[in-house]
Every structure is written in C-alpha cells, then in structure tokens.
Amino acid sequence: MKKYINLTLLSCLLGITLVSCSKSGQNNKGALSSNAAEKVYVAPGEYDEYYGFFSGGFSGQLSVYGLPSGRLFKVIPVFSQDPEKGYGYSEETKPMLMTSHGFIPWDDSHHPDISQTNGELDGRWIFINGNNTPRIARIDLEDFSTAEIIEIPNSAGNHSSSFVTENTEYVVAGTRFSVPIPQRDIPIKEYKGNFKGTLSFIKVDQESGDMDLSFQIQMPGFNYDLSHPGRGKSHGWFFFTTYNTEEAHSLLEVNASQNDKDFIAAVNWKKAEEYIKAGKGKKMPVKYAHNKFDNATHMATHTMKEEVLMLDASELPDLVYLLPTPKSPHGCDVDPSGEYIIGNGKLSANLTVHSFTKMLDAIEKKKFDGEAYGLPILKFEDVLAGVVEQPGLGPLHTEFDGQGNAYTTFFISSEVVKWKLGTWEIVDRKPTYYSVGHLMIPGGNSRKPDGKYLVAMNKITKDRYLPVGPDLNHSAQLYDISGDKMELLLDFPTIGEPHYAAAIKAEKIMHKSRQIYKLDENKHPYATKSPAETKVTRKGNEVHIYMTMIRSHFTPDNIEGVKVGDKVFFHVTNLEQDFDVPHGISMLGANTSELLVTPGKTETFVWEPKQVGVWPFYCTDFCSALHQEMQGYIRVSPADSNLELSWSLDDE
C-alpha cells in the first residue's frame, strides 16, 4: 500500500496520468497543471508579498497570515484571553478586557479594517469589532498588539463595524439588534416603535490613533447589518444595510422577510458634524469602558465614561436617507470611485447597484416615496444605477479590483462571480469549497485596490482536509485575479471563523515593525533594569518579587519566607535587547497563564500559594541551549511562620 501511495504522489507531481490524483476518480488538471503551486511558493528565507489580517470570529482574536503562502505568522489577542502570550491574564493587560458589565474574557470578532490616508491603506493601525459585548479595538501595526478598546453603549450586536472613512477620520460601529434606548423593562411584544438602533462614530486622532466616541445617531428599530464608507465623490457619507424593516421580534427567519425591499441607510456624517457644531446634539447618560495600553509603562488603564452625544435622525433633516434595496440585504459595498453602492440582498435573485450621483439628484429634487420614522425614502427607480441579473444564489459581499470589475460571493451556490461595473455583465465565475461568506481583495475597501489576489472565506470545509472529528476549521481560499479568468491557487485552514479580512503590501508595514522595547525607556512602576536592582518585599500578606530574566537565568532564583495565604506578585523584566528573544515564566499552582515577556518589557502575574513546600518556576519559551536550566524555587512556609524573606542574587 505504501508503494502505491508513493507512486500515485510521484505521478501527480510529474503530471503523469498513472492513476487519478483527484478524489472523484477523474483526472485533475487544476492547480498543478497550471503552476498554481509555483504562484504561492515562498522560498525559505523569503518574504510574502502581503500581510493578511483575518478576523478570528468566535475566538475573539485577529490572525496574521502571509499571502500568497497562507502561512500563519501570529495570533494577535484582542477581545479574548490568550494563554500563549498571557494577554488578559497578566496584571498589565487585564484592564483591556474590562467593560461596563465587568471583566469579559471573550468576544466575537468580525470585521478588520486598515487605516487609510487619502483613500489608500497606510498601515498605521487596524481596527476590529467585538460583536457580542459591543466594542471597537485598535491594533498598533508597529507592535502588532492591541493598543486600545472602546466599548459602544446603546448597542447590541456590534456588527456593521469596524469600517473607516478614507482619511481615518472615523471608525463606525452600527448595532445589529435594536434595543430599548435607554434600556428599561419593557415587554418584547412592544418592540415596534419602541426599540431603536444606533450608529456610532468614533473619532481617531491622526497622530496617536487614540479613539473617542464622538457621537451616535439614533435610528429606527431595524437591524443594521453591514456598512462601508463613501469615498472620492461620496466622501462624507456612510452606507448601512438594514433588514427586519418589518420590526419583527420572533421567528425572524420568516417574519423579517415579508417586505419586498429593505433599505440601505445613507448617512451624511458631514451634516452630522454641522448639527453638532450648531448644538443640536443631546448629551445622554450612559456607562461605557475605554481601555488603553501605554507602551511607556507597559500597562493598560481602564476608564469608565458616563455620557454620549446623541443625534436623533428623525428630528434632523438631511442627515439620513433610505434607499430601497431588495431583499434582506447583507453586504453593503462601495466601489473605488465612490459612485456605486452595491446591496447584496440575501433573498434577491439579482444584485442591486445604486448610484450616488442619482441619489444626490433625487434628494435635491425631493423624489421621495414616503418616509419611515421621519426618514425620507427615495424612489427605487430614481437611485438605481443597474442590476446584475441572476448572478447566483445567496449573494453576500462584493469587493473590487480597481480595474472596473466587481466580485461577489454567493453562499448557497458556493461561488465567486466576477462582473463589470457599468455594464453589469457577468464575465467569470469560480466555485468555492464551500458556502463562502466574505471575500477580500487587498485594498478592496479603498480607492486603490491591488487587483492581484482574492481571498474567499468559507464556512464549510468537509472533504478538503484530513478529518479531525465532527467539527473542522473554516478555510480561506486564494485566487489569482490578475488575468481575465480567476484561478484557484491555494486553500488553508484558519483560526476560528474568519468573517472578514484585510490585507496590505508587506513593504508598507515590515520596516516599521518594532523589534525591542528599550530598557532605558521602560517606565513600568515595577521595572527592574539590572540583576543588582532585584529584590523581594513584603507589605502585610502581599509579597512583591522584582525579578529579571536573561539567557539563561532568573534573578532572584531561590526565594524563602513566603507563607501560605500570601498574595505573591511576580514583576518580571526581560533584560534582553536583542530582537526575537522573549522569555516565559510559569509558577506551579498559579491559577493564571504563563507570561511571555518580550525584550525590554515588564509584566506581572499573581500567585497565591495554598500549600507548604518548595515549588518551582521556569522559563516556558525556549531561549537558549541552557533553556532547561532557566528555573528557580520558592519555599512556602506555614501562615504563622516567622521566617523572614530572603533570596539569592547572581553573585551569590
């Protein structure tokens, strides 16, 4: 059997048809015959052309892959605890996961978006939403670490997020579930007219990246699904798909699918700024968390905010207009020119494309077809640019290649369809494996997409990988779109469920990437910058260990005088000043994770010994040939012991 398998593999690699290389028993003239393997091959020591940032979905994290290789480079912890890096376990990072509901160690991350300048990706930051407990995070692409998380009040299911305007003036966060605002005890059957949605606009400081919840817009009680910013001619507007315009509250699968058309909400955020300047906003009491990580102190801070500025769309003319869109639209996508707004109606046989120019004309000439809760509804025919006729089943999302082409995913028919902007003709289609959701073209959500690759993110992968039980990882598939026809090059499993991804040329980020934290710039209050400064102190039942780590030892490495019932703080500084030399530390019996401390940084974990004895700690990250020797002991005595603290230093 072994010889048969080897012969089969060899024949496949050489392109010789001795036996079939495909599962179906037919000759496979796909990837190998078209040199797809060569197109994704990145030789040892060479770099990928793109960074790809993939949402982790229910993992709450953000994963970094190389494209075209599909190699996983890093998992960035954002909304969930991560024992690999100690995020959410160390005393420094626990505040990042604080909310108005307390410490929340998990969330559902969906839509990453990279910062832009003049409509082009600039590689400074990437933003991503927490869906379950509504939050927006900013990841610093110098550090590839979470720098800031802001909670979104008056929201539930923060889904139409986190998309940025073309100069990163704002990041938006739109509620998926409408709720009573302010929250109160009300019968669910009284949903209609009483529940509201909100669209949040988060201001971004152009120097520091710091976020601030600038204002919210109160909207009718629909579900707000996805969004994209205007660009070019439509800069100053934001577009949100809505469904459940029926305002149903039970069996939404049926009851929220009655209307022939739902809406895309066109929001004029420039007009919102005018209203705010004129004093039209109303301050509303709320509670929400704002958490920041300081690279100087290596510590996060948690602050509670207590009010938000609210604009009521029903009371402010010209702020929001509704564009009728068939039917239960999901994706809302704007082409690079800013002229075309595509509504991907999940239950529609066609793709609807609206015209921004026609929208402005209809607004000016007041071509309205009624209103909903004070918001003008524009006439469908007056804003329609065109229709892509019967392109597939279950359209979800559209991206663009910058060459006048659009690409749309179809969940039910499991395919990506390429079509022409302006003529609406279908020019190509390729299957995905299987049930594709989002797709991504590097820079596809900008004025200047890189029309080289397309990544499809699939929900089902059965028969693609070795079976590992009833639940398989989701997958991404890489297509070459540089020619007239799409070509499938590669598929690879992903972390969690990748709802969306963003990618950027590696050259825009890699040379800015931080390598170390300079020891002389370390302002952590418990930093210890040389072995001679290490010490152990007691204050009541708190013991503080000021410890250093360097290849291949801890200082101090033998500590006595700790007692049962003490609360022991390990403040550990990595003295290395060499790139890519982290050290780890873990303590037997500590009910937390290990710490992974990068060069020049200080981190803290807590250990509460409950038994007498001598207990070891050790380095958890292989750091040198003498890694195994990097260890220490702590002697724990009874709670009533009179033994004084003592410890050993390097020169003892």
Side-chain angles (χ1 to χ4, degrees):
M1 179 64 180
K2 184 176 180 181
K3 289 182 179 178
Y4 172 77
I5 292 173
N6 288 341
L7 184 60
T8 302
L9 177 60
L10 180 62
S11 65
C12 287
L13 291 174
L14 296 178
I16 303 169
T17 312
L18 294 179
V19 292
S20 172
C21 304
S22 68
K23 298 183 181 77
S24 64
Q26 299 176 347
N27 291 338
N28 181 358
K29 295 184 179 179
L32 292 176
S33 65
S34 60
N35 295 318
E38 292 181 8
K39 292 183 179 182
V40 301
Y41 179 66
V42 179
E46 294 186 1
Y47 296 139
D48 279 274
E49 187 177 358
Y50 294 90
Y51 285 101
F53 299 90
F54 288 67
S55 72
F58 42 70
S59 79
Q61 316 293 33
L62 181 67
S63 303
V64 186
Y65 292 84
L67 299 176
S69 72
R71 297 178 296 187
L72 175 64
F73 294 148
K74 189 179 184 70
V75 176
I76 302 173
V78 184
F79 297 113
S80 299
Q81 289 178 298
D82 182 2
E84 180 190 15
K85 302 171 189 69
Y87 179 87
Y89 293 97
S90 72
E91 297 303 296
E92 289 80 6
T93 58
K94 283 180 181 177
M96 295 298 287
L97 300 180
M98 290 298 294
T99 74
S100 62
H101 306 277
F103 182 79
I104 303 292
W106 171 86
D107 214 317
D108 182 16
S109 60
H110 278 222
H111 305 121
D113 207 14
I114 298 171
S115 57
Q116 298 184 21
T117 302
N118 296 324
E120 295 184 45
L121 305 187
D122 58 32
R124 292 178 293 168
W125 312 294
I126 187 166
F127 303 87
I128 192 167
N129 60 319
N131 193 39
N132 183 66
T133 305
R135 287 172 282 180
I136 297 290
R138 176 175 60 88
I139 291 89
D140 187 337
L141 290 180
E142 179 186 272
D143 291 86
F144 282 70
S145 63
T146 303
E148 188 175 12
I149 296 178
I150 190 166
E151 187 180 3
I152 309 300
N154 299 319
S155 181
N158 175 39
H159 194 254
S160 46
S161 317
S162 54
F163 301 104
V164 303
T165 54
E166 66 173 27
N167 286 299
T168 321
E169 298 97 336
Y170 293 103
V171 180
V172 300
T175 187
R176 175 180 168 190
F177 310 114
S178 288
V179 292
I181 296 176
Q183 278 284 11
R184 59 193 184 278
D185 184 8
I186 182 174
I188 297 172
K189 66 182 180 180
E190 296 180 15
Y191 179 114
K192 194 163 188 174
N194 290 308
F195 285 38
K196 302 294 181 183
T198 55
L199 309 176
S200 303
F201 284 74
I202 299 158
K203 195 79 173 173
V204 180
D205 184 276
Q206 296 304 297
E207 295 298 322
S208 66
D210 288 352
M211 300 187 295
D212 177 64
L213 179 51
S214 181
F215 62 92
Q216 293 185 313
I217 300 175
Q218 182 170 290
M219 298 285 287
F222 308 149
N223 291 61
Y224 298 85
D225 203 350
L226 273 161
S227 62
H228 266 86
R231 55 181 59 92
K233 64 174 63 179
S234 55
H235 178 61
W237 291 77
F238 228 104
F239 302 93
F240 297 80
T241 46
T242 73
Y243 66 99
N244 191 25
T245 53
E246 298 85 352
E247 295 183 84
H249 58 80
S250 65
L251 293 175
L252 260 65
E253 183 180 14
V254 175
N255 293 329
S257 304
Q258 302 300 310
N259 291 342
D260 181 55
K261 294 181 178 70
D262 293 282
F263 302 118
I264 287 177
V267 178
N268 187 340
W269 57 263
K270 291 282 190 181
K271 178 63 70 172
E273 290 179 334
E274 291 177 15
Y275 278 129
I276 291 168
K277 191 175 291 187
K280 299 295 185 181
K282 298 175 183 177
K283 290 186 177 180
M284 177 180 179
V286 291
K287 287 190 179 296
Y288 66 97
H290 193 176
N291 308 325
K292 293 183 183 180
F293 192 87
D294 187 327
N295 272 339
T297 64
H298 305 175
M299 301 180 75
T301 56
H302 161 64
T303 305
M304 290 299 299
K305 300 293 186 73
E306 297 186 340
E307 66 178 19
V308 67
L309 190 64
M310 183 71 75
L311 301 174
D312 189 335
S314 67
E315 298 175 354
L316 301 172
D318 301 320
L319 182 58
V320 179
Y321 293 91
L322 301 178
L323 284 60
T325 306
K327 178 177 185 185
S328 295
H330 182 55
C332 180
D333 303 288
V334 181
D335 86 303
S337 73
E339 170 63 18
Y340 297 123
I341 305 121
I342 292 89
N344 301 272
K346 299 191 298 287
L347 302 180
S348 174
N350 303 322
L351 282 178
T352 298
V353 184
H354 297 300
S355 163
F356 179 73
T357 302
K358 288 187 174 183
M359 183 194 86
L360 291 184
D361 182 69
I363 291 171
E364 183 180 354
K365 295 176 180 175
K366 300 188 182 302
K367 295 181 178 180
F368 301 145
D369 194 12
E371 55 89 26
Y373 295 100
L375 305 183
I377 301 171
L378 300 174
K379 289 185 177 179
F380 179 70
E381 297 78 8
D382 290 327
V383 296
L384 185 66
V387 173
V388 184
E389 299 283 355
Q390 298 185 326
L393 298 176
L396 292 185
H397 303 281
T398 301
E399 294 241 327
F400 311 91
D401 63 6
Q403 305 299 318
N405 301 304
Y407 301 76
T408 300
T409 54
F410 291 84
F411 179 81
I412 297 173
S413 52
S414 292
E415 59 185 332
V416 177
V417 174
K418 176 181 178 181
W419 51 277
K420 282 282 186 185
L421 289 164
T423 67
W424 326 122
E425 62 179 314
I426 295 168
V427 294
D428 193 22
R429 61 177 71 237
K430 281 291 184 290
T432 61
Y433 306 99
Y434 304 95
S435 297
V436 61
H438 275 280
L439 77 164
M440 178 271 290
I441 293 171
N445 180 30
S446 74
R447 283 202 203 184
K448 292 190 176 180
D450 294 329
K452 187 172 184 178
Y453 296 119
L454 178 152
V455 179
M457 284 150 272
N458 307 317
K459 307 301 184 185
I460 296 173
T461 59
K462 60 183 177 183
D463 81 21
R464 299 299 290 178
Y465 308 128
L466 289 172
V468 288
D471 179 33
L472 305 182
N473 273 18
H474 294 190
S475 77
Q477 292 189 297
L478 182 73
Y479 294 79
D480 182 342
I481 60 170
S482 60
D484 292 335
K485 299 293 183 181
M486 295 179 281
E487 181 186 5
L488 176 60
L489 302 179
L490 177 72
D491 57 351
F492 53 96
T494 55
I495 301 291
E497 181 186 3
H499 289 268
Y500 189 48
I504 186 172
K505 285 271 194 181
E507 63 192 27
K508 289 193 174 183
I509 294 180
M510 60 181 296
H511 301 297
K512 300 187 296 183
S513 182
R514 179 189 290 273
Q515 296 190 337
I516 63 169
Y517 294 88
K518 294 180 180 179
L519 269 176
D520 59 4
E521 296 176 359
N522 183 338
K523 293 181 171 54
H524 192 290
Y526 293 98
T528 308
K529 298 183 181 181
S530 76
E533 297 176 10
T534 58
K535 60 186 177 181
V536 184
T537 64
R538 175 182 289 281
K539 185 177 181 180
N541 72 333
E542 283 190 3
V543 174
H544 291 264
I545 302 172
Y546 297 73
M547 178 178 284
T548 62
M549 48 185 13
I550 197 167
R551 286 167 285 186
S552 294
H553 59 275
F554 296 101
T555 305
D557 61 356
N558 288 289
I559 301 167
E560 300 190 22
V562 173
K563 305 173 188 179
V564 171
D566 281 344
K567 191 172 186 177
V568 182
F569 292 81
F570 285 77
H571 308 291
V572 191
T573 302
N574 182 348
L575 297 182
E576 305 283 356
Q577 292 289 269
D578 191 9
F579 179 39
D580 195 28
V581 188
H583 292 291
I585 183 170
S586 182
M587 182 75 219
L588 195 158
N591 59 351
T592 182
S593 79
E594 59 106 41
L595 294 184
L596 187 67
V597 189
T598 51
K601 206 168 186 180
T602 302
E603 294 193 39
T604 302
F605 76 95
V606 176
W607 175 54
E608 299 183 65
K610 296 178 175 59
Q611 301 178 49
V612 299
V614 179
W615 308 102
F617 56 89
Y618 68 102
C619 178
T620 53
D621 188 85
F622 202 99
C623 54
S624 75
L626 296 177
H627 165 73
Q628 294 295 92
E629 284 74 14
M630 193 168 174
Q631 67 172 61
Y633 288 102
I634 294 185
R635 175 184 172 187
V636 178
S637 301
D640 58 358
S641 170
N642 293 320
L643 187 65
E644 295 292 324
L645 285 172
S646 63
W647 59 95
S648 62
L649 298 179
D650 287 354
D651 56 355
E652 294 180 357

